[in-house]
Amino acid sequence: PPVSCVPSRPLNEADLRQAREFLLQQPALRKKLLASLEGYPVSYLYDDECAAQPDIELQNAAFMTLLRQVKEALAVSPRQQALERLTMKLQKLVDEGPAASLYAELGLHSSTPAATLAATVASVGAGRLHAQWLVAAEAAQKPSQLELREAEIVEGMRRRAEQQGESLGTHELRLRLSNIRAKEEQRREEHRRRAEALAAALEGDEDFQRWRRVQ
């Protein structure tokens, strides 16, 4: 027996009885195996088979019979049956599940290849209104340039004041910075309001709604 079948403990009387039972089953198992093999037609791939039937045409006919029987057996194999059941489940998901509405939305048949489906989905755009909303939403979130480049902005103000022969005091500098900050916030607020208005309009935009359905 294989090494994995040998117990790590010493054999006892129960092991001996079990071995005898297995041994007694061998003739029946051999008979069953022989009957199964005899159920197949002769293949004439072996010398003893060919010696029993020297007619080449009969040998070829018997071999073709064997091939048909093997093909039929493979067609109903457990693997093939499992594949058929899986295919039926997948087709049911396409015909009845969420994918069914996607195919209908795109005007495609359920048998459409996956690559064609993906290309069709990618070709569906969100529309002009959505593009405008993206621009407004990004502008509303744009960081303050004053916070990012305050030192550079202050230096530029002082340089221009000197070129014009003016003196830029601390109070005037703070006032100008405050005006810049207020204008930036005003622009962001305008973009926020526009983004909100566009978002509301998108709920009734046909292009955007279709794009959202296929995503």
Side-chain angles (χ1 to χ4, degrees), residues 42-199:
V42 180
S43 66
Y44 292 104
L45 294 175
Y46 304 97
D47 293 338
D48 58 336
E49 295 176 338
C50 294
Q53 176 54 264
D55 192 318
I56 298 299
E57 292 185 0
L58 290 178
Q59 291 180 12
N60 291 338
F63 183 69
M64 295 304 297
T65 300
L66 174 63
L67 291 182
R68 285 194 297 270
Q69 193 173 69
V70 171
K71 182 179 180 180
E72 292 173 358
L74 292 176
V76 295
S77 66
R79 177 179 179 275
Q80 183 64 28
Q81 292 175 345
L83 287 174
E84 290 177 356
R85 289 194 297 269
L86 179 59
T87 300
M88 291 177 62
K89 289 181 179 179
L90 292 175
Q91 189 62 44
K92 186 176 182 180
L93 288 176
V94 171
D95 294 339
E96 303 177 7
S101 60
L102 176 61
Y103 280 95
E105 180 70 39
L106 297 173
L108 300 176
H109 191 270
S110 59
S111 61
T112 301
T116 303
L117 174 63
T120 306
V121 169
S123 68
V124 177
R128 179 178 56 83
L129 201 63
H130 180 261
Q132 293 176 355
W133 171 80
L134 281 177
V135 173
E138 291 176 359
Q141 299 297 325
K142 187 176 181 180
S144 169
Q145 291 300 306
L146 187 59
E147 295 178 359
L148 297 176
R149 305 168 44 240
E150 182 174 349
E152 181 181 344
I153 293 173
V154 169
E155 180 62 26
M157 288 180 178
R158 287 176 173 167
R159 189 181 305 111
R160 284 192 297 271
E162 291 177 357
Q163 291 174 353
Q164 297 173 2
E166 299 177 355
S167 176
L168 188 61
T170 303
H171 176 73
E172 179 63 22
L173 178 60
R174 290 178 179 176
L175 181 60
R176 292 186 182 184
L177 292 177
S178 178
N179 290 336
I180 293 175
R181 189 175 291 107
K183 289 180 180 179
E184 283 187 339
E185 182 56 37
Q186 181 181 359
R187 286 194 296 270
R188 281 195 295 269
E189 180 61 25
E190 291 173 352
H191 289 308
R192 277 194 293 269
R193 292 178 180 176
R194 176 168 171 75
E196 291 175 358
L198 290 170

Side-chain angles (χ1 to χ4, degrees), residues 17-27 29:
R17 285 197 303 271
Q18 187 179 33
R20 287 173 178 170
E21 292 176 359
F22 287 154
L23 185 61
L24 292 174
Q25 294 175 10
Q26 295 306 305
L29 293 174

